[in-house]
Amino acid sequence: MLHKRKSTLLLAVLMTASLTAAGCSEENHAKERMDQALTKQAEMKSYSFTGNADLNLEMPSQKEGSNPMTSALLTMFMKGKLEWNGAASTDPVRFETDLKSTPAGSAAALELPVLFKDNKLFLHIPMLNKDGEYYSVDMAELAKLSGQANPMSPDSLKNISKTMSDAAKLAISDVNPKWFAESDAGALKDGTKAVSYRLDITDKNRKEITDALKAKWPQLADTLKSSGIFTGSQAEEWKAQSATLDVKAPGSIEIKVDSAGFIREQNVSLSLSYQGKDGKGHSSSFRVAQAYNDVNQSPKFQKEEPKNARPLSEILKLIMPPKTTK
């Protein structure tokens, strides 16, 4: 009888250990597979896309004498609602999108169609262009004027894609795997089956996630600086924010991955606060949803190159800050 009880107890212990190990394994796999999908995303060479965002981001500090047109354009992409759709490829480099911006406090949406083809960027700016009119920017000319590499070359686009992937992986690298979850996402809009990997930010784990992100914040700043996304001063400002960074709840990061390992849908909702260099408290929040289709297939481009587009020099006069004399 005693032997039987010991055997039953041993079996119960083994079953409990097995279930616990299985649970930990799944948790670890969810974070690991999210990481793998972020890496895989850099392999996308062509795709169509659609998305939307609700933004409430802190505006960069404006220097005295800054151009009002630049400030107006920044407002369009910092506070309000954005919607977009389009297609892209990296070899040859081609990109097109229809972007719609509804600034905070306004009921009127502004539409900004954009096309990049044959190393030229064509864009329509509602405040500056008539209906159907575009500006044209020759990227080789712009690179020569700025003294920097062409940001729309195949290598540059690949580097940007890899940088954003590396930054996302770095941001979650110190987060405990137990907070990640894996589930069946069902079928996407095109019928493709997908798996969901998700990190929920709650009152229970908010402090832990904040500490994990703060530890990587300076490294994130350096990553974005080395890729050219941040200037040196912007990177230093980010680093200074890390000490007071505070992630708020609720929030979430979710990706839906197809059988080939590509991210087909991304949903991010984040809110955070920090103390600025002015000594005051600042807060920013955003919700972004993006979907990818036709991955590494023939892109469905629809826009034709605009005729009689206005030249780059006209844009520079409008958006460059005025020169000051000392």
Side-chain angles (χ1 to χ4, degrees), residues 49 85-88 94-98 114-116 300-304:
F49 58 89
N85 63 81
R94 185 170 177 178
F95 173 88
E96 67 178 40
T97 185
D98 286 309
V114 178
L115 167 65
F116 181 86
K300 299 177 181 178
F301 294 113
Q302 299 179 3
K303 294 184 181 298
E304 297 294 332

Side-chain angles (χ1 to χ4, degrees), residues 114-177:
V114 178
L115 167 65
F116 181 86
K117 182 182 178 183
D118 298 330
N119 208 36
K120 290 184 178 180
L121 179 67
F122 300 90
L123 67 163
H124 171 85
I125 304 176
M127 301 91 78
L128 305 178
N129 292 119
K130 300 175 183 178
D131 289 344
E133 185 181 61
Y134 282 74
Y135 280 113
S136 171
V137 180
D138 186 306
M139 300 308 292
E141 180 185 352
L142 182 61
K144 185 177 180 180
L145 288 173
S146 65
Q148 298 180 355
N150 181 357
M152 300 296 284
S153 70
D155 287 342
S156 295
L157 289 178
K158 289 175 184 177
N159 287 339
I160 290 174
S161 180
K162 183 178 183 302
T163 295
M164 300 312 294
S165 175
D166 289 345
K169 292 189 295 180
L170 185 61
I172 65 172
S173 60
D174 281 356
V175 178
N176 194 317

Side-chain angles (χ1 to χ4, degrees), residues 60-75:
S61 55
Q62 298 291 306
K63 295 181 180 179
E64 185 178 350
S66 60
N67 190 291
M69 181 59 65
T70 304
S71 300
L73 290 172
L74 277 174
T75 301

Side-chain angles (χ1 to χ4, degrees), residues 193-224:
K193 291 185 177 179
V195 178
S196 167
Y197 303 105
R198 184 180 178 99
L199 168 66
D200 279 306
I201 301 169
T202 67
D203 289 330
K204 185 176 181 180
N205 63 14
R206 180 191 66 78
K207 176 63 167 59
E208 184 178 328
I209 290 175
T210 294
D211 291 340
L213 186 58
K214 286 170 69 172
K216 296 298 182 183
W217 203 249
Q219 193 174 341
L220 272 169
D222 287 335
T223 297
L224 297 174

